[in-house]
């Protein structure tokens, strides 16, 4: 089956291989590979390319990838186009507070360009915390903007955090490292350089 490209999610088969958005997303997954082992949750996995990327690159290190997305259509597409024996594609809502009981706990959670789509971002973060094992690692990215409650220029975003609001989301975690992305480059902040996207690597106590 095919999946319509609306601009809401990345669909590699419907995009130019040099599309900047596609390359940014792939770069984030490759960055996150450094922190993964055991059981991994791809929280809002979209078309599924990233979940398969994880399983292929970390065979023997990652035992299972659970790829959860709200869209039944995207999940069906992912099962067909990006099948992998170590990936389990399921339909679910990132703010459903029954998810921890349904899915269990994970060694690593990745969630890229998702939290800005979610009005109930507190429930999203509560789920992330409850789904992550003690000592587990969260790798999460989001674009910066004017802040919660402020308008955005993106039709699918309910808000875009300021950098300070973004950092405040992770105060419960034992340790946090913040990285910043511009194009395919992911690096610690350098001087006054502008970065449109923030990435956190957060360890749960």
């Amino acid at each position: 089956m095919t999946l319509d490209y609306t601009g809401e999610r990345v669909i590699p088969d419907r995009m130019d291989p040099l599309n900047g958005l596609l390359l940014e997303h792939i770069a984030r997954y490759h960055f996150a590979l450094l922190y993964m082992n055991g059981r991994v949750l791809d929280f809002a996995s979209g078309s599924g390319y990233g979940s398969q990327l994880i399983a292929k690159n970390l065979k023997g290190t990652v035992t299972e990838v659970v790829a959860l997305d709200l869209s039944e259509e995207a999940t069906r597409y992912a099962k067909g186009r990006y099948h992998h024996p170590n990936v389990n594609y399921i339909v679910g809502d990132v703010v459903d507070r029954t998810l921890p009981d349904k899915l269990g706990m994970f060694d690593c959670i990745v969630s890229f360009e998702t939290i800005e789509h979610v009005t109930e971002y507190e429930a999203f973060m509560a789920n992330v915390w409850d789904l992550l094992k003690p000592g587990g690692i969260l790798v999460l990215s989001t674009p910066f903007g004017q802040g919660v409650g402020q308008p955005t220029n993106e039709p699918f975003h309910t808000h875009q955090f300021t950098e300070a609001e973004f950092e405040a989301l992770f105060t419960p975690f034992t340790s946090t490292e913040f990285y910043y992305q511009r194009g395919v480059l992911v690096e610690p902040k350098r001087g006054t350089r502008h970065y449109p996207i923030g990435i956190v690597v957060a360890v749960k106590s």
Side-chain angles (χ1 to χ4, degrees):
M1 66 173 291
T2 61
L3 193 62
D4 290 337
Y5 181 70
T6 64
E8 184 176 9
R9 56 175 57 88
V10 168
I11 308 171
D13 286 347
R14 306 296 299 274
M15 303 168 77
D16 186 300
L18 296 180
N19 179 284
L21 180 65
L22 173 61
L23 293 175
E24 286 178 4
H25 277 253
I26 291 173
R28 284 192 282 275
Y29 274 104
H30 277 283
F31 170 79
L33 292 176
L34 299 169
Y35 302 97
M36 294 184 195
N37 68 89
R39 194 165 185 248
V40 174
L41 174 62
D42 192 355
F43 214 33
S45 50
S47 63
Y49 71 95
S51 303
Q52 186 194 63
L53 184 155
I54 294 167
K56 279 187 169 183
N57 279 274
L58 295 179
K59 185 179 179 181
T61 301
V62 167
T63 56
E64 180 189 18
V65 180
V66 174
L68 180 138
D69 197 86
L70 182 63
S71 169
E72 294 184 8
E73 182 185 20
T75 302
R76 284 195 302 272
Y77 175 84
K79 287 178 177 179
R81 175 63 179 85
Y82 293 106
H83 170 77
H84 190 281
N86 289 344
V87 181
N88 180 21
Y89 295 103
I90 62 175
V91 177
D93 190 336
V94 293
V95 298
D96 176 3
R97 293 294 285 127
T98 69
L99 285 181
D101 290 333
K102 294 176 180 176
L103 302 181
M105 302 183 82
F106 295 85
D107 299 284
C108 181
I109 297 174
V110 294
S111 189
F112 298 136
E113 311 306 278
T114 301
I115 195 169
E116 67 275 7
H117 294 259
V118 179
T119 303
E120 302 170 65
Y121 64 88
E122 296 94 342
F124 173 98
M125 289 302 302
N127 268 343
V128 165
W129 182 265
D130 291 342
L131 287 159
L132 201 58
K133 293 179 181 178
I137 299 175
L138 167 69
V139 186
L140 181 149
S141 70
T142 194
F144 295 130
Q146 298 183 61
V148 175
Q150 300 301 313
T152 79
N153 294 324
E154 299 293 336
F156 301 107
H157 296 179
T158 62
H159 49 249
Q160 289 182 332
F161 298 100
T162 65
E163 188 173 334
E165 288 172 339
F166 177 63
E167 292 180 0
L169 293 172
F170 310 102
T171 52
F173 288 81
T174 305
S175 67
T176 53
E177 295 177 354
F178 292 96
Y179 296 88
Y180 301 85
Q181 185 174 15
R182 187 182 182 95
V184 298
L185 178 66
V186 177
E187 63 179 357
K189 182 182 285 188
R190 288 198 289 159
T192 58
R193 176 174 292 192
H194 170 70
Y195 298 92
I197 294 168
I199 303 174
V200 69
V201 178
V203 180
K204 179 180 175 179
S205 56

